[in-house]
Amino acid sequence: MDKEISKSQQREDDEETMNLISSLPSDVDFEGTKLFKYQGCWYNDKTLQAILSFQRDFEPQDTDIIVASFPKSGTTWLKALTVAVLERSKHSSDNHPLLLENPHTLVPFFELRLYMQSSKPDLTKISSSPRLFSTHVPFQTLKEGLKNSSCKIVYVCRNMKDVLISFWYFKCANQEIEKEKNSLESMFESFCTGVSYYGPFWEHILSYWTASLQYPKNVLFLKYEELKTEPHAQLKKLAEFLDCPFTLQEEESGSMEEILDLCSFSNLKNLEINKTGRTPGGVAHKNFYRKGEVGDSKNNLTPVMEKRLDMIIQEKFRGSDMKF
Ligand code: A3P
């Protein structure tokens, strides 16, 4: 009987989802993929279905921690740092979870993993405490899924020119295709118009920037570039925000350096699990570690492209005190 009810509930949910998706504005991106605009952001239908399931069914706990970002902004790094901060002192240096698993396995995406694999994932299997999740959706969409809980959200933002280039390399690596100028140019065009997967980027960033000002206890806004230039200060900020600040003794005994070394680009990139493993969706872990530098867009974008993106950034962020 219960099974019958849940089956008919599932049918109703599916129908509601399909009706909603077909009522949304749609467009195509640079690859000809149909995208739908939901709550101000563009998604393909598979991702959107997962987002709708997440919003409808996720049961948050106030202790949950969510790592959020626009794709290619340093998500993998922030996931690793978050795990390392929370798990410190629980593991010896040779059985740390980050040595055995990719950060995306330890901190699963709501819409790209959990709710994409199943519209009703079994979250009781998650053993970490607090529970760690991640997402690429903008704040307003995440907030709806988190209902009125007081979860903590850590967002990482990165210079959009570097994000674009990182995205391009990532796509070419995943699809095992040549890095041709043409594909970068069309991707660039989608990026600039905003009709791109998870775009427009400016609205994405501003949604979390505004939320971090409005709910400073619940939303922390970090920048990739600052993690690079002042890692200790940013790590301290992260630990304080997560309510597990470094003690003086930890600071003196080198606990922060240990975490930064463990999560460093070269360390993670060279671990066996990250050289050979794949995500459940089939993405090679190694594709999440490319160069890990600030300013690589200079080597790939023409001055005209750079100028156009600079102008978009200037225009879209005018009036906010958000600085790149
Ligand atoms: P590049 O392609 O510029 O090298 P995401 O994790 O959001 O998918 O972002 C991927 C980008 O973060 C890639 O940038 C990747 O190399 C970089 N990255 C991954 N791990 C990193 C780390 N530990 N430290 C610094 N950058 C890292």
Side-chain angles (χ1 to χ4, degrees):
M1 187 69 174
D2 277 357
K3 255 192 175 165
E4 280 308 308
I5 294 173
S6 73
K7 264 192 185 164
S8 80
Q9 180 63 50
Q10 183 64 50
R11 267 197 300 271
E12 265 179 45
D13 289 351
D14 290 349
E15 204 177 309
E16 205 180 295
T17 300
M18 294 330 279
N19 287 342
L20 189 134
I21 293 181
S22 60
S23 73
L24 295 172
S26 63
D27 207 334
V28 282
D29 73 359
F30 66 100
E31 289 180 309
T33 304
K34 190 165 184 183
L35 299 181
F36 298 88
K37 195 173 199 184
Y38 177 63
Q39 298 184 337
C41 188
W42 293 98
Y43 309 100
N44 62 36
D45 61 346
K46 211 167 155 220
T47 307
L48 183 51
Q49 282 180 42
I51 291 168
L52 294 170
S53 301
F54 155 69
Q55 286 189 321
R56 188 179 50 228
D57 293 332
F58 179 62
E59 290 176 14
Q61 296 174 2
D62 283 341
T63 49
D64 289 342
I65 293 169
I66 325 289
V67 172
S69 62
F70 189 88
K72 311 323 292 171
S73 299
T75 327
T76 318
W77 191 14
L78 182 57
K79 285 185 182 188
L81 289 169
T82 305
V83 170
V85 163
L86 293 167
E87 295 278 319
R88 68 186 193 265
S89 75
K90 287 195 204 155
H91 303 276
S92 70
S93 54
D94 54 357
N95 74 349
H96 197 287
L98 283 167
L99 300 176
L100 310 170
E101 299 283 5
N102 177 269
H104 295 290
T105 309
L106 300 171
V107 188
F109 282 107
F110 283 129
E111 75 279 15
L112 298 178
R113 170 99 171 271
L114 299 170
Y115 288 87
M116 192 174 266
Q117 285 179 335
S118 158
S119 61
K120 305 227 183 297
D122 180 6
L123 302 185
T124 58
K125 287 190 192 136
I126 291 178
S127 56
S128 69
S129 173
R131 300 188 306 177
L132 293 175
F133 299 104
S134 72
T135 189
H136 285 320
V137 299
F139 181 72
Q140 64 278 12
T141 301
L142 174 61
K143 189 163 175 264
E144 202 169 306
L146 299 181
K147 287 73 185 188
N148 287 321
S149 69
S150 53
C151 306
K152 285 189 185 282
I153 302 164
V154 194
Y155 183 78
V156 62
C157 159
R158 186 181 188 190
N159 178 305
M160 274 299 144
K161 291 185 262 181
D162 286 349
V163 166
L164 170 66
I165 292 307
S166 182
F167 219 148
W168 179 56
Y169 275 99
F170 184 68
K171 236 180 178 329
C172 295
N174 288 340
Q175 296 173 352
E176 296 179 5
I177 52 172
E178 284 299 310
K179 288 174 281 299
E180 282 172 2
K181 228 174 106 212
N182 281 355
S183 66
L184 175 58
E185 280 168 2
S186 13
M187 194 175 198
F188 170 81
E189 204 48 46
S190 278
F191 223 61
C192 291
T193 59
V195 186
S196 60
Y197 196 41
Y198 287 105
F201 70 80
W202 52 89
E203 289 187 10
H204 200 284
I205 296 172
L206 283 171
S207 75
Y208 283 97
W209 174 250
T210 311
S212 72
L213 301 176
Q214 204 175 352
Y215 313 105
K217 283 203 164 72
N218 297 91
V219 184
L220 177 68
F221 191 98
L222 297 175
K223 292 181 183 164
Y224 183 91
E225 293 73 19
E226 289 179 354
L227 280 165
K228 280 271 177 192
T229 52
E230 41 178 56
H232 288 84
Q234 298 304 313
L235 188 63
K236 211 169 159 172
K237 209 193 247 186
L238 175 64
E240 278 164 12
F241 175 76
L242 297 176
D243 292 331
C244 50
F246 289 96
T247 61
L248 193 59
Q249 197 196 353
E250 281 181 309
E251 281 192 35
E252 284 172 359
S253 68
S255 168
M256 292 171 83
E257 284 74 16
E258 258 176 52
I259 289 178
L260 292 170
D261 286 347
L262 174 66
C263 300
S264 71
F265 179 78
S266 58
N267 187 53
L268 292 181
K269 185 183 169 82
N270 289 312
L271 293 173
E272 200 51 32
I273 179 72
N274 294 327
K275 285 203 282 197
T276 57
R278 283 183 183 270
T279 67
V283 177
H285 290 160
K286 66 176 184 328
N287 293 349
F288 290 101
Y289 305 92
R290 189 183 62 93
K291 235 176 170 183
E293 287 174 7
V294 173
D296 190 42
S297 51
K298 282 248 171 295
N299 304 318
N300 295 277
L301 294 177
T302 64
V304 175
M305 285 166 138
E306 281 213 64
K307 191 150 183 232
R308 178 146 166 227
L309 267 174
D310 280 339
M311 280 171 63
I312 291 173
I313 290 168
Q314 208 182 22
E315 184 203 321
K316 301 294 182 186
F317 290 89
R318 189 181 300 137
S320 81
D321 48 0
M322 156 81 210
K323 298 261 176 308
F324 272 107

